[in-house]
């Protein structure tokens, strides 16, 4: 087992440990939002399927506009959903609505705003250019185009495009099954008044919510006491999952028994402790469970800030890889510090930050306030995580930094 490794190395070890791929299910488009495409969506058709008008106006022949204006005989009309009955010949025009098929012979559409109609004659005051206001068949999509790659997240435009291309159902990955276990004798649930020495469990519910927001499905949340026998029963059951998240019990205290119990249950630990703040005691291992591949096991530090930052840095990307997602890490955005930050060299700091946009100059970010890992409110108010590299010391106002947007 490695120890006291960098954030980059820790993330690489986690992502390299993923061997399984999740099953595939076919879902109606209406149920697929937020899921991950398992197969590419390829167009069988041209979109638009036929030349059609981009404006309400008149389908015309360009050759009638030798002197920039024209007066034409109105010989018919075609609406969206209709089919032209007349071809347009020189000297004539057809009234056409947006989306209607362009009649044979017409090579432009003059918008209604350029025209006056009287007694079956249309006066057009400007010359359209060739093909103007005609949307050409196939200008958006060609048959055979791979329009949506496997690994894309199903967004509303993905739903709309899949519908356009004639896919009422799409193939998506089954959500990874993620067990959430909160450990600690001090924990009670949100509906209970804490007794002396007790606190309410924040990590169980918060981690469960993070799992759902990252595309997983939650088993639990379970609770284990700081007692080997009790923890063993709970953890053994919880190991039957793609991912096991255990909060608490991985530090140095006498009651930090999680690593030993999981060791006994057959978990191989790959690293313990990462050069980061918060979250230094993070532990990561794998368990070969049945035929499904490895269970990824994360021992998350119990402080709620540490637990949620470690989820964002390691667990969310791991779930993205399991899902076969195209994009695994959130984009990093350049910004500058709007306040100095106290920081010694040695650990990478994830500062919970508030972002301020300005019309001129770069994005400015400042800490949400005191950054103690026991202060959960620092996470609550954060728009971004500001990444301060290991070797950075006491950065001043104006220091360029990278930030990660926390759109949950
Ligand atoms: P541990 O990692 O178990 O040593 O816990 C570190 C700190 O986090 C202690 O103050 C714990 O009381 C607190 N803590 C542990 N688990 C939770 C939890 N699920 N919800 C809120 N606080 C917790
Ligand atoms: Mg504990």
């Amino acid at each position: 087992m490695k120890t006291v490794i960098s954030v980059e190395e820790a993330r690489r070890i986690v992502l390299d440990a993923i061997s399984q791929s999740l099953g595939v299910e076919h879902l109606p488009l209406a149920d697929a939002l937020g899921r991950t495409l398992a197969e590419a969506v390829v167009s069988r058709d041209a979109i638009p399927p036929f030349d059609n008008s981009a404006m309400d106006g008149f389908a015309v022949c360009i050759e009638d506009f030798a002197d920039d204006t024209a007066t034409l005989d109105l010989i018919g009309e075609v609406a969206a959903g209709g089919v032209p009955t007349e071809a347009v010949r020189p000297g004539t025009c057809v009234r056409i609505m947006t989306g209607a098929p362009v009649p044979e012979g017409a090579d432009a559409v003059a918008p209604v705003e350029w025209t006056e109609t009287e007694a079956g004659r249309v006066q057009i005051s400007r010359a359209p250019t060739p093909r103007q206001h005609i949307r050409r068949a196939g200008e958006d999509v060609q048959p055979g185009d791979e329009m949506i790659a496997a690994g894309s997240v199903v967004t509303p435009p993905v739903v709309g495009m899949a519908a356009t291309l004639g896919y009422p159902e799409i193939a998506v990955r089954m959500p990874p099954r993620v067990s959430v276990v909160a450990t600690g004798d001090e924990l009670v649930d949100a509906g209970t008044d804490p007794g002396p020495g007790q606190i309410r469990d924040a990590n169980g519910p918060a981690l469960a919510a993070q799992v759902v927001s990252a595309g997983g499905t939650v088993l639990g949340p379970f609770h284990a006491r700081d007692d080997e026998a009790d923890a063993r029963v709970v953890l053994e059951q919880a190991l039957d999952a793609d991912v096991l998240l255990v909060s608490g019990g991985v530090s140095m205290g006498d009651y930090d028994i999680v690593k030993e119990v999981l060791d006994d249950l057959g978990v191989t630990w790959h690293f313990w402790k990462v050069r980061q703040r918060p979250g230094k005691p993070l532990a990561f291992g794998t368990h070969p469970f049945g035929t499904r591949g490895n269970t990824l096991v994360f021992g998350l530090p119990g402080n709620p800030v540490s637990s949620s930052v470690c989820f964002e840095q390691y667990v969310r990307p791991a779930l993205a890889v399991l899902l076969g997602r195209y994009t695994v890490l959130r984009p990093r955005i350049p910004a500058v510090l709007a306040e100095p930050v106290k920081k010694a060299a040695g650990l990478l700091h994830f500062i919970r930050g508030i972002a301020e946009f300005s019309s001129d100059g770069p994005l400015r970010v400042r800490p949400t306030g005191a950054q103690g890992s026991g202060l959960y409110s620092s996470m609550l108010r954060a728009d971004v995580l500001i990444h301060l590299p290991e070797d950075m010391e006491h950065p001043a106002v104006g220091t360029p930094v990278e930030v990660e947007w926390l759109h949950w």
Side-chain angles (χ1 to χ4, degrees):
M1 179 183 70
K2 295 196 170 195
T3 187
V4 205
I5 61 176
S6 72
V7 167
E8 283 302 311
E9 185 177 5
R11 197 181 287 116
R12 193 174 62 243
I13 291 172
V14 168
L15 300 185
D16 285 351
I18 298 170
S19 56
Q20 67 270 55
S21 69
L22 304 163
V24 174
E25 60 185 329
H26 291 81
L27 289 184
L29 287 180
D31 299 331
L33 190 67
R35 303 293 292 269
T36 305
L37 266 191
E39 292 163 15
V41 172
V42 178
S43 180
R44 294 166 293 221
D45 307 317
I47 307 291
F50 47 84
D51 286 3
N52 69 94
S53 180
M55 302 287 277
D56 295 326
F58 296 88
V60 297
C61 300
I62 285 286
E63 64 172 88
D64 284 331
F65 290 83
D67 50 3
D68 284 345
T69 64
T71 302
L72 305 171
D73 286 337
L74 182 59
I75 59 167
E77 178 177 300
V78 58
V83 180
T85 50
E86 310 289 335
V88 177
R89 290 174 312 281
T92 72
C93 64
V94 164
R95 191 191 303 275
I96 190 165
M97 310 304 159
T98 306
V102 175
E104 215 186 295
D107 47 18
V109 169
V112 72
E113 291 83 350
W114 301 357
T115 67
E116 262 172 48
T117 306
E118 219 188 299
R121 300 272 290 165
V122 184
Q123 280 182 27
I124 303 174
S125 58
R126 281 174 60 179
T129 54
R131 318 272 328 160
Q132 195 176 5
H133 303 307
I134 294 178
R135 303 164 177 156
R136 302 163 82 139
E139 73 176 17
D140 197 4
V141 179
Q142 288 286 311
D145 281 355
E146 180 181 304
M147 291 309 295
I148 316 168
S152 303
V153 175
V154 180
T155 58
V158 166
V159 170
M161 180 56 80
T164 291
L165 299 180
Y167 287 82
E169 288 191 343
I170 47 177
V172 297
R173 290 280 162 204
M174 305 280 279
R177 297 157 61 247
V178 185
S179 289
V180 175
V181 180
T183 70
D185 286 349
E186 72 276 38
L187 303 178
V188 297
D189 67 27
T192 303
D193 286 334
Q198 295 183 322
I199 57 169
R200 296 196 186 92
D201 170 20
N203 296 342
L207 287 168
Q210 283 174 298
V211 167
V212 171
S213 79
T217 182
V218 177
L219 311 181
F222 305 103
H223 176 239
R225 298 177 53 84
D226 293 322
D227 162 279
E228 291 200 17
D230 184 59
R232 196 185 165 92
V233 172
V234 175
L235 292 173
E236 186 165 21
Q237 185 195 347
L239 263 174
D240 184 9
D242 296 304
V243 180
L244 167 58
L245 305 180
V246 189
S247 102
V250 292
S251 302
M252 304 285 274
D254 290 346
Y255 295 90
D256 291 331
I257 54 164
V258 164
K259 291 209 320 302
E260 275 159 53
V261 171
L262 285 168
D263 215 83
D264 277 355
L265 289 169
V267 170
T268 303
W269 293 106
H270 300 296
F271 65 77
W272 180 38
K273 294 185 185 164
V274 179
R275 290 196 299 274
Q276 62 183 4
R277 173 173 297 159
K280 188 166 176 217
L282 174 69
F284 172 72
T286 51
H287 188 267
F289 206 96
T291 51
R292 244 198 356 258
N294 285 333
T295 299
L296 308 178
V297 180
F298 292 88
L300 305 169
N303 278 309
V305 174
S306 312
S307 156
S308 70
V309 167
C310 286
F311 183 97
E312 294 306 316
Q313 294 310 310
Y314 305 99
V315 185
R316 186 180 293 273
L319 296 180
V321 170
L322 274 169
L323 282 161
R325 283 207 178 157
Y326 203 69
T327 307
V328 170
L329 298 181
R330 291 193 171 115
R332 307 265 176 85
I333 306 163
V336 296
L337 289 179
E339 269 179 31
V341 179
K342 276 175 72 177
K343 176 192 181 299
L347 303 178
L348 189 157
H349 285 207
F350 298 109
I351 304 289
R352 282 76 71 202
I354 294 172
E356 296 162 8
F357 291 98
S358 66
S359 52
D360 53 343
L363 182 70
R364 289 157 51 88
V365 291
R366 64 179 73 242
T368 49
Q371 295 286 306
S373 62
L375 301 172
Y376 201 20
S377 55
S378 70
M379 192 78 207
L380 178 71
R381 290 193 247 287
D383 305 313
V384 292
L385 287 178
I386 308 168
H387 293 220
L388 302 183
E390 282 183 13
D391 54 5
M392 188 179 267
E393 275 183 274
H394 304 304
V397 171
T399 302
V401 290
E402 285 192 333
V403 304
E404 181 186 343
W405 206 268
L406 290 173
H407 44 79
W408 300 98

